[in-house]
Amino acid sequence: CELHPLLIAVDDVERADEPSLLLLAMLARAAARAPLLIVATLTDQDGSAAVPFELFVRACSVQRLTRFTLAETQTLLTSLFGAGVPLEQLAQRLHILSSGSPRDLMRLCQHLVDTQVARYEHGTWVLSELSELSELQLPSDLTQLLAARSRALSAEARELACAVSLSPDQSFSFTECLRLAALSDDAALLRVLESLLSADILRASDATYMLSDRAWGTVLTNDMSHGELRSLQRRLAGVF
């Protein structure tokens, strides 16, 4: 760091454990005297560890990000699908559904591609007419969007996702995921994890896996019976 500038990026810092937060707080204080920049994102301050988190925040400059305006939403869609595509009506619809959240807007755009509403043909993007779209292709809200993704999972992938969602702030190793999924085949677990990462339900960090967003918790467990939940809770207890 003394020889070269260093950038440390931390996503969802409120989900870090106390030792990691204390280390970040120490580094943040040192950044005033070294070519070091720490950029951390925070989505849920209520979920943070109180004292270490406050130490880190006191050493930082906090910038609150605003939601997109309708014009900014249309600019993002234009950057994704091109200036030659009529996007006015779609931008209005997606802006309402996402409430201007860039993350949710990107989820909706990915859903359009996954359901072939947005198709790349002959070097350009082609979009279906809004009036022709079903609720499956353009959901009425984000909960419906997440539910559609979860229904597309295999039974094994959904079961593992449900197990992880019962402990949303915990990260699990490959071996622990193997136990949670009740699988004995490493190759089968790799396929399951790949599908969950592709669906943005899990995210990987340092050879561990955790829920990408707490919003998945309710969606994934909503249709589970009491017996199924108890079974997954017993597996979690075996891992811990």
Side-chain angles (χ1 to χ4, degrees):
C1 186
E2 293 181 0
L3 299 176
H4 302 286
L6 177 64
L7 168 66
I8 299 175
V10 184
D11 197 18
D12 293 342
V13 69
E14 77 277 8
R15 301 176 76 170
D17 56 28
E18 291 195 12
S20 298
L21 286 168
L22 287 170
L23 175 61
L24 286 172
M26 181 184 70
L27 291 174
R29 287 180 174 275
R33 306 181 301 277
L36 170 65
L37 176 64
I38 302 174
V39 179
T41 65
L42 169 68
T43 56
D44 180 13
Q45 187 164 342
D46 292 337
S48 62
V51 174
F53 179 78
E54 288 300 324
L55 289 173
F56 175 60
V57 170
R58 284 196 214 115
C60 297
S61 173
V62 178
Q63 302 290 327
R64 298 190 180 278
L65 302 181
T66 59
R67 292 179 178 271
F68 277 3
T69 63
L70 175 57
E72 289 170 331
T73 294
Q74 184 158 343
T75 298
L76 177 60
L77 292 180
T78 300
S79 72
L80 293 173
F81 299 118
V85 180
L87 295 168
E88 291 79 7
Q89 286 186 318
L90 182 63
Q92 291 178 2
R93 182 74 178 274
L94 296 189
H95 183 71
I96 292 171
L97 287 175
S98 66
S99 299
S101 164
R103 178 185 60 185
D104 292 340
L105 184 59
M106 290 301 295
R107 281 177 171 167
L108 287 163
C109 289
Q110 183 62 54
H111 181 73
L112 295 180
V113 175
D114 292 342
T115 56
Q116 294 292 297
V117 172
R119 305 174 303 280
Y120 195 69
E121 299 178 353
H122 309 297
T124 188
W125 284 99
V126 178
L127 299 180
S128 301
E129 292 290 337
L130 279 182
S131 59
E132 300 174 357
L133 303 184
S134 66
E135 280 198 349
L136 178 62
Q137 293 171 307
L138 189 57
S140 58
D141 56 47
L142 285 168
T143 299
Q144 190 181 67
L145 169 63
L146 298 182
R149 282 198 195 178
S150 70
R151 285 193 297 269
L153 297 171
S154 67
E156 294 84 0
R158 183 176 175 80
E159 189 171 65
L160 176 57
C162 288
V164 172
S165 74
L166 294 176
S167 189
D169 294 319
Q170 181 70 33
S171 58
F172 298 91
S173 68
F174 185 89
T175 302
E176 290 169 336
C177 287
L178 201 61
R179 295 174 65 185
L180 287 177
L183 295 171
S184 57
D185 183 358
D186 287 5
L189 179 60
L190 283 171
R191 290 192 294 271
V192 165
L193 289 172
E194 184 178 347
S195 68
L196 293 174
L197 292 170
S198 178
D200 193 32
I201 295 174
L202 296 187
R203 67 179 182 183
S205 176
D206 294 330
T208 62
Y209 304 88
M210 68 187 304
L211 204 64
S212 66
D213 191 324
R214 287 188 181 90
W216 281 109
T218 303
V219 172
L220 288 165
T221 59
N222 191 46
D223 296 329
M224 296 191 72
S225 68
H226 181 69
E228 289 171 327
L229 285 172
R230 287 293 299 273
S231 176
L232 292 180
Q233 287 165 348
R234 283 194 292 270
R235 289 187 201 174
L236 275 171
V239 168
F240 293 140

